[in-house]
Amino acid sequence: MNLRHVEIFHAVYVHGSVSNAARALNVSQPSVTKMLRHAESLLGFDLFTRTKGRLVPTEDAHQLFTEASAIQERVQSLRDTSRNLRRGAGTLRISALPSLALGVLPSAVARVLKRTPGVSFDLQTVHHDDLLRKLYERECDVAIAYEVPPAAPVAAHALGEGELVVLYRESDLPDAPARLDLAALTDRPFISLARSGPLGQMFSAECDRLGVAFDEVVSTRTFYIAAALVRAGVGIAVVDSFTAAASLSAGLAFRPLRPAITFDVHAMFLENRPPSTLALSFLDELRASIDVL
């Protein structure tokens, strides 16, 4: 089967009939029928049976469809890239932690799109453990993270700094000072993020150093879920400053810790694939968004 056979098979399978597939591909019905029959003759088995006027995929067709879908996605990606190159634009594929994707990432994307028409973005939210895989498998060009693995074959650009903060309902801490001591919060229901990657480990280490323990009522690995739980009145949570700022709504507030627990934000990329000029421009905007907080 060549790519045209795959395209015809995929269209008929998805749309359920030759006529619908022909409309989707903007070709004639006879040409679809001819190519489908040719594909079946090359394969040596039927892809569809006609039942009550409908084309029903065979079991062999079901097994082929997964592979055909993957090929179609890659072909579409090739078409998109070709179109962007023809327009003199490009597509930036960015993977970022969910906490950064809630606020600072969208604002940076908006400024780049406003300043550079024709640019497009492919944005993915990924948990810390999957960021390197996204880079290795070339699913993204740049990964935005809090920690650069020391042994990985990646390079990084520093983007700024964040810190851990206490997110709470104002009614629960009506007279909260400018900074909060962890020891003063141990008697309140606590939403734990101890297993949420580098920041969770950093917070746990600080709790061990101070000898404090919390009344953990819920544990979660995702900061924005912790924020939603705080909003629902489940308890308080220690989250990163970016999640806290993006999650603020009526009745919610946050305070940094005393002593402060800070962390760096990095843009990671493969050593043999440094960022393009367009990517560097975007990282400048992202750096500016981080500096505002």
Side-chain angles (χ1 to χ4, degrees):
M1 294 175 69
N2 59 32
L3 286 177
R4 186 58 173 167
H5 292 134
V6 172
E7 183 180 40
I8 293 293
F9 162 63
H10 185 272
V12 174
Y13 186 103
V14 169
H15 296 285
S17 71
V18 168
S19 58
N20 289 339
R23 279 193 293 270
L25 296 174
N26 197 28
V27 296
S28 68
Q29 292 186 40
S31 65
V32 171
T33 300
K34 180 179 178 180
M35 288 298 294
L36 187 59
R37 288 175 176 169
H38 189 216
E40 290 176 326
S41 68
L42 291 173
L43 291 168
F45 53 81
D46 291 338
L47 293 170
F48 300 91
T49 59
R50 185 170 294 277
T51 304
K52 296 181 180 179
R54 294 180 62 252
L55 287 181
V56 178
T58 63
E59 184 59 34
D60 292 327
H62 288 312
Q63 295 186 45
L64 283 177
F65 180 71
T66 299
E67 299 295 332
S69 293
I71 292 171
Q72 283 296 98
E73 289 178 5
R74 298 303 300 161
V75 169
Q76 186 59 49
S77 177
L78 176 63
R79 288 171 177 163
D80 293 342
T81 299
S82 301
R83 183 176 62 252
N84 289 331
L85 290 172
R86 185 169 61 250
R87 294 187 315 194
T91 297
L92 284 177
R93 301 179 303 160
I94 309 294
S95 289
L97 298 172
S99 53
L100 292 165
L102 289 171
V104 294
L105 189 67
S107 62
V109 168
R111 289 198 298 273
V112 170
L113 290 175
K114 184 176 181 179
R115 190 185 64 216
T116 314
V119 173
S120 63
F121 284 87
D122 178 4
L123 303 178
Q124 310 158 36
T125 58
V126 185
H127 289 290
H128 182 269
D129 292 344
D130 289 328
L131 285 169
L132 283 181
R133 181 184 61 79
K134 288 286 186 178
L135 285 172
Y136 291 157
E137 296 181 3
R138 308 296 175 92
E139 292 185 29
C140 70
D141 305 309
V142 179
I144 313 300
Y146 296 142
E147 182 180 79
V148 181
V154 298
H157 288 174
L159 297 178
E161 186 179 86
E163 67 178 312
L164 295 183
V165 301
V166 179
L167 184 65
Y168 61 92
R169 293 200 306 177
E170 292 177 323
S171 58
D172 294 333
L173 292 170
D175 301 314
R179 286 187 173 269
L180 288 168
D181 295 301
L182 287 176
L185 304 172
T186 56
D187 60 342
R188 297 180 179 276
F190 189 73
I191 300 159
S192 172
L193 286 139
R195 292 178 291 174
S196 60
L199 297 191
Q201 296 168 11
M202 183 185 300
F203 178 67
S204 295
E206 179 68 4
C207 289
D208 291 341
R209 186 185 72 82
L210 296 174
V212 298
F214 292 93
D215 176 19
E216 297 183 0
V217 293
V218 179
S219 66
T220 178
R221 300 188 182 189
T222 308
F223 284 83
Y224 62 82
I225 292 178
L229 291 167
V230 173
R231 188 179 300 111
V234 172
I236 63 172
V238 172
V239 301
D240 65 279
S241 49
F242 306 110
T243 296
S247 302
L248 278 186
S249 58
L252 285 190
F254 67 88
R255 293 287 189 274
L257 297 169
R258 185 174 55 208
I261 304 177
T262 61
F263 55 88
D264 296 322
V265 184
H266 305 274
M268 299 190 301
F269 48 90
L270 296 176
E271 290 178 339
N272 61 355
R273 294 193 68 186
S276 64
T277 301
L278 179 59
L280 290 174
S281 176
F282 166 73
L283 294 180
D284 286 340
E285 293 292 351
L286 187 57
R287 188 177 290 110
S289 295
I290 291 171
D291 288 342
V292 169
L293 292 178

